[in-house]
Amino acid sequence: MSRSVRRLLWALAIAVPLFFLIIYLAIRTVSAELEERFYQSFDSVPTRVYSSVYWLKPGTGASLEELRFRLKERDYRDVGRPEQVQGPGTYALETDGARPLALTLYTNEFNYPALAKEMIFGNPEAVISPTRYVILFAGGEVNKVQDNTGGDASGAALEPTLVAQLNEGSVQARRTVNLSQIPHTLMKGIVLIEDTRFLEHPGIDIRGIVRSMYVNLRSGGYVQGASTITQQLAKNV
């Protein structure tokens, strides 16, 4: 074996591992940067902004017009009579002219972490279960609130309403979900269309790049790309 061949082999023995080491370090660096930027962009700014809960507590002023407005904006359904209030999202309102006398209300379940600090419901996760209330009025304000056991309650809370949606200039409403929540067929379809060798390459598909170059050279124009799902994510984040 000639000296020049030995030098070439030594050069390849050093260059090839060095090349893959550089690729590996680059992918690790990009992955860490993507993870940091991805979670900052989706978790630090909420997609939707909600109002506070609407409280009906003893001593709280509540006109008939406001009560109907608050119930309507939350899609509560007027069932007419108190005995027909049997499920979440229903109510019956008894009035004396323009004044409310009694409100039989079956609230919806909702989650509101801010209530965990108040511990009003004794639930650290602040998941408010559907509850049937009877709310009595006197002199234009709430006089008494009774729960479904007939006992006095500190108040009845109506769920928050959507105030605004932050889309950063986009018409999309995105919601971060766990990988386990995405249908397997959807993931397979995306991989099949966008990056068939997604599970075989480290983020850059060398074979795909060579294939794309060959196809584009033969056609005399750009007809096929070679970007992987990883590269598309890096481009759009």
Side-chain angles (χ1 to χ4, degrees):
M1 184 181 297
S2 65
R3 180 177 299 179
S4 59
V5 173
R6 286 199 300 269
R7 287 179 178 177
L8 178 60
L9 291 176
W10 272 107
L12 288 174
I14 296 173
V16 171
L18 184 61
F19 171 77
F20 283 105
L21 177 62
I22 293 172
I23 293 294
Y24 171 76
L25 292 175
I27 291 173
R28 286 289 301 270
T29 303
V30 171
S31 297
E33 179 70 18
L34 285 176
E35 183 175 354
E36 181 180 357
R37 291 181 60 185
F38 181 86
Y39 285 108
Q40 281 182 351
S41 62
F42 281 91
D43 291 343
S44 61
V45 179
T47 303
R48 294 177 177 179
V49 178
Y50 287 87
S51 70
S52 180
V53 297
Y54 178 67
W55 280 107
L56 288 166
K57 298 179 180 180
T60 303
S63 67
L64 182 60
E65 182 180 359
E66 182 182 5
L67 279 174
R68 284 177 170 160
F69 171 77
R70 298 291 187 177
L71 292 165
K72 183 178 180 180
E73 72 174 345
R74 291 165 172 80
D75 294 324
Y76 277 75
R77 183 167 54 91
D78 186 353
V79 294
R81 293 184 296 179
E83 60 269 21
Q84 294 178 321
V85 179
Q86 297 296 330
T90 60
Y91 75 95
L93 190 58
E94 300 173 63
T95 64
D96 178 18
R99 293 186 303 172
L101 293 179
L103 171 64
T104 304
L105 173 70
Y106 210 126
T107 59
N108 291 315
E109 179 179 287
F110 64 94
N111 182 287
Y112 196 68
L115 289 181
K117 297 179 181 179
E118 301 179 32
M119 296 298 291
I120 292 174
F121 295 89
N123 185 346
E125 295 183 359
V127 177
I128 314 305
S129 301
T131 305
R132 190 177 189 272
Y133 294 99
V134 175
I135 303 163
L136 304 177
F137 299 86
E141 64 181 31
V142 177
N143 182 45
K144 180 182 287 189
V145 180
Q146 296 177 322
D147 60 22
N148 52 6
T149 66
D152 290 343
S154 59
L158 296 181
E159 65 272 18
T161 57
L162 181 64
V163 174
Q165 191 161 286
L166 306 180
N167 294 327
E168 298 183 357
S170 171
V171 296
Q172 302 175 15
R174 299 187 178 187
R175 180 166 57 94
T176 304
V177 298
N178 295 325
L179 188 63
S180 59
Q181 295 176 267
I182 301 175
H184 188 63
T185 51
L186 176 60
M187 290 190 288
K188 289 182 66 176
I190 292 174
V191 170
L192 183 63
I193 295 171
E194 297 291 339
D195 189 359
T196 54
R197 299 187 63 249
F198 177 71
L199 299 176
E200 301 174 24
H201 60 70
I204 299 175
D205 189 1
I206 303 299
R207 186 192 302 178
I209 293 173
V210 173
R211 182 193 66 247
S212 174
M213 291 176 59
Y214 174 74
V215 171
N216 291 335
L217 285 172
R218 284 197 60 183
S219 64
Y222 182 82
V223 295
Q224 186 180 100
S227 62
T228 64
I229 291 176
T230 307
Q231 290 173 295
Q232 293 177 39
L233 176 63
K235 177 183 177 182
N236 288 286
V237 172

